[in-house]
Amino acid sequence: MKKVAVILSGSGVYDGAEINEAVLTLLHLSKAGASYQCFAPNVEQHHVINHLTGEVSNESRNTLVEAARIARGEIKPLAELNAADFDALILPGGFGAAKNLCDFAVNGASAKLNNDVKVACSAFKDANKPAGYMCIAPVMVPMIYGKGVRVTVGNDAETAAAIEKLGGEHVDCAVDDIVVDENHRVVTTPAYMLAKSLDAAEKGISKLVERVLAMV
Amino acid sequence: MKKVAVILSGSGVYDGAEINEAVLTLLHLSKAGASYQCFAPNVEQHHVINHLTGEVSNESRNTLVEAARIARGEIKPLAELNAADFDALILPGGFGAAKNLCDFAVNGASAKLNNDVKVACSAFKDANKPAGYMCIAPVMVPMIYGKGVRVTVGNDAETAAAIEKLGGEHVDCAVDDIVVDENHRVVTTPAYMLAKSLDAAEKGISKLVERVLAMV
C-alpha cells in the first residue's frame, strides 16, 4: 500500500487549508487504496478570518488544532514527519498555505517558508519522492526545489510573476488539468485558484492524486 | 436545475458538521448538476472541542460562522430558509447535528429541536419535498415527521433505541447503503456512524444524494 503524507495549514479557505481541496485529496487517496497521514505545523495561525463576513476576527487559533477538524483528530505535528516513512507528499491549498506554511500572502516574492515546512518538503525532494501541490501551494515549490522548477497556479498573472521571481517557471493550466515537472517529480493543479464548482475542482485534484501515486 | 438546501451545524466532527460528509454531499450535488445553498442556525455552538486532544476548549464559537468555513462564505442563516425556493433538503451529520441543531447529545430520547431547524425541516415535510439525513442527523427525523417514520443510523443499538422512543422505526443499514421511507419521502444513510474510510462514507452519501434528487 502506497503511503502519502498530507500537509494541512488550518481549516477554512481564508485562513487555513481549503476544506474541499483537502477532503478531495483524502477521498482520492482513499479510493486509490493508498494510506495517508495528515500533518500540520504546530504554530499560531497568521490570523483568523470570520468566513461569514470575510473580516479579521479578534482571536487566535493554532494551525495544527484547526487542521485536526479536517483530519477527524488523526493528525500529527509537522515536525514529526519523517519522509522515510512515506512514498509521496501532497499539499492542498487555501490561504493557509500562503499564511501559515509560508508568508507569501504578506511578502510575495520575498516569502520565506515555515521551518518545519522547509525541512519536511525538502526531505521529499532530496529523497526524489514525488510531491503534489495545489491551488496557491505551488508558490512554495521554487523555495524548495530551486531554479527552473515548472509549476502552475492556473493563470493569475501576479502570482505567476512572483513564482518566476522566486526562480520557478509558471505554466498556465486549466482547472481540470495538471502540470507535471518530471525532472523534479512535482505535480501541480490550479484547484480553487480557478475552480467555480466542486465538480471542476475535483477533476484537477483527482488527476494530481492519480499522477503522484503513479510516480511512486 | 434542481435546487437543494443543505443545513450545516458548524465545522468539525466533534462539535459541528462532519466535514467529509458535508463536502461529499456538496460534491455529489455538484456532479449531478444540481445547485445548492448552505444554511446554518445563527446560534452559539453547544461547546467547542479541540479536535487534536478531544477536550472541551474554553472558548465560544458561532454555528453559522464556523459552518461558513465549509461553504467558503456562501451560507445563510437558517431562519432565512424558505422551503418554497428549493426542491429538496439534505442534512449532513457530525456531533453538531446532535449538539447545535437539536440537543440529542445531551437529552437523548427527550431531545428538542432548535426552533429554526424545526420550522425549516417541517416546511419540507409539509410541502412533501424529499429530504436526506445522514450519520446522527436521522435522530431528528421522528421529531419532525412523527410516529412510524423509517430511518437508519447504521447499527448502534443505543441510538436506535432512542429513535424508537422518539417514535421512529430504526432499520439497520450498511455504510454503503441507504434506507428510504417512500411514504415520508425521507432518505437516510449511516455515513460516519459506521464509516472507517472516506471511500466507504462516499458510497452511502452518493446513493443518498442520487435518491433524494431522483425523488424531486
Side-chain angles (χ1 to χ4, degrees):
Chain A
M1 181 182 275
K2 295 174 183 177
K3 294 189 285 185
V4 180
V6 177
I7 301 179
L8 302 177
S9 57
S11 176
V13 55
Y14 297 122
D15 59 16
E18 211 296 316
I19 290 175
N20 296 317
E21 291 175 6
V23 171
L24 291 173
T25 297
L26 304 181
L27 173 68
H28 284 279
L29 288 171
S30 176
K31 286 168 79 101
S35 74
Y36 58 80
Q37 172 67 49
C38 292
F39 295 88
N42 186 8
V43 294
E44 288 302 297
Q45 292 185 184
H46 171 65
H47 59 190
V48 177
I49 299 284
N50 176 318
H51 279 56
L52 184 64
T53 64
E55 290 167 2
V56 175
S57 180
N58 183 26
E59 58 186 308
S60 63
R61 297 186 183 184
N62 178 286
T63 305
L64 173 60
V65 170
E66 297 311 313
R69 293 179 172 271
I70 294 174
R72 296 172 51 86
E74 297 298 322
I75 192 164
K76 293 178 180 176
L78 182 53
E80 294 179 12
L81 171 50
N82 183 355
D85 297 336
F86 295 93
D87 301 305
L89 173 71
I90 298 181
L91 281 81
F95 278 99
K99 291 176 174 176
N100 305 325
L101 302 187
C102 69
D103 57 9
F104 182 85
V106 177
N107 292 322
S110 311
K112 295 268 183 299
L113 294 166
N114 163 286
N115 193 57
D116 289 342
V117 172
K118 188 175 184 178
V119 170
C121 295
S122 298
F124 281 86
K125 179 201 71 171
D126 294 343
N128 207 27
K129 291 182 174 179
Y133 291 73
M134 66 188 71
C135 185
I136 191 69
V139 300
M140 291 185 279
V141 173
M143 301 186 233
I144 297 156
Y145 289 80
K147 218 170 155 68
V149 63
R150 296 173 73 239
V151 300
T152 190
V153 291
N155 57 21
D156 183 70
E158 194 181 345
T159 311
I163 285 171
E164 303 264 345
K165 267 197 178 177
L166 282 160
E169 181 187 334
H170 185 269
V171 183
D172 282 1
C173 178
V175 65
D176 59 353
D177 211 350
I178 53 177
V179 165
V180 184
D181 184 321
E182 296 280 3
N183 288 340
H184 294 90
R185 295 169 64 73
V186 173
V187 186
T188 49
T189 191
Y192 273 98
M193 288 294 287
L194 289 179
K196 304 268 186 250
S197 73
L198 256 160
D199 187 27
E202 194 201 21
K203 290 191 170 78
I205 294 169
S206 64
K207 276 189 194 170
L208 180 145
V209 169
E210 187 184 354
R211 182 63 71 95
V212 167
L213 290 176
M215 290 169 108
V216 169
Chain B
M1 180 181 273
K2 294 173 183 177
K3 294 190 286 187
V4 180
V6 177
I7 301 179
L8 302 177
S9 58
S11 176
V13 54
Y14 298 122
D15 59 16
E18 212 295 317
I19 289 174
N20 296 318
E21 292 175 5
V23 172
L24 291 173
T25 297
L26 303 182
L27 173 67
H28 283 281
L29 289 171
S30 177
K31 285 166 80 98
S35 73
Y36 57 80
Q37 171 65 50
C38 293
F39 295 88
N42 186 8
V43 294
E44 288 303 295
Q45 293 185 185
H46 171 66
H47 59 191
V48 178
I49 298 284
N50 177 317
H51 280 56
L52 184 64
T53 64
E55 290 167 1
V56 175
S57 180
N58 182 29
E59 57 186 309
S60 64
R61 296 186 184 185
N62 177 286
T63 305
L64 173 61
V65 170
E66 297 310 314
R69 292 179 173 272
I70 295 173
R72 296 170 50 86
E74 297 297 323
I75 192 165
K76 294 179 178 175
L78 183 52
E80 294 180 11
L81 171 49
N82 182 357
D85 297 335
F86 295 92
D87 300 306
L89 173 70
I90 299 182
L91 281 79
F95 277 99
K99 290 175 175 176
N100 304 327
L101 302 187
C102 68
D103 58 8
F104 182 85
V106 177
N107 291 322
S110 311
K112 295 269 184 297
L113 294 167
N114 163 284
N115 193 58
D116 289 342
V117 173
K118 187 174 183 178
V119 169
C121 295
S122 298
F124 282 86
K125 178 200 72 172
D126 294 342
N128 208 29
K129 291 181 176 180
Y133 291 73
M134 65 189 71
C135 186
I136 191 69
V139 300
M140 291 185 278
V141 174
M143 300 187 233
I144 296 156
Y145 288 79
K147 218 171 156 69
V149 63
R150 295 173 73 237
V151 300
T152 191
V153 290
N155 58 21
D156 183 70
E158 195 180 344
T159 310
I163 284 171
E164 303 263 345
K165 266 196 179 177
L166 283 160
E169 181 188 335
H170 185 269
V171 184
D172 281 2
C173 178
V175 66
D176 60 353
D177 211 351
I178 54 176
V179 165
V180 184
D181 184 321
E182 297 279 3
N183 287 339
H184 294 91
R185 297 169 61 75
V186 172
V187 185
T188 50
T189 191
Y192 273 97
M193 287 294 288
L194 289 179
K196 305 270 186 247
S197 73
L198 256 160
D199 186 28
E202 194 202 19
K203 290 191 170 78
I205 293 169
S206 64
K207 276 189 193 170
L208 178 145
V209 169
E210 186 183 356
R211 183 62 72 94
V212 167
L213 290 176
M215 289 168 109
V216 169

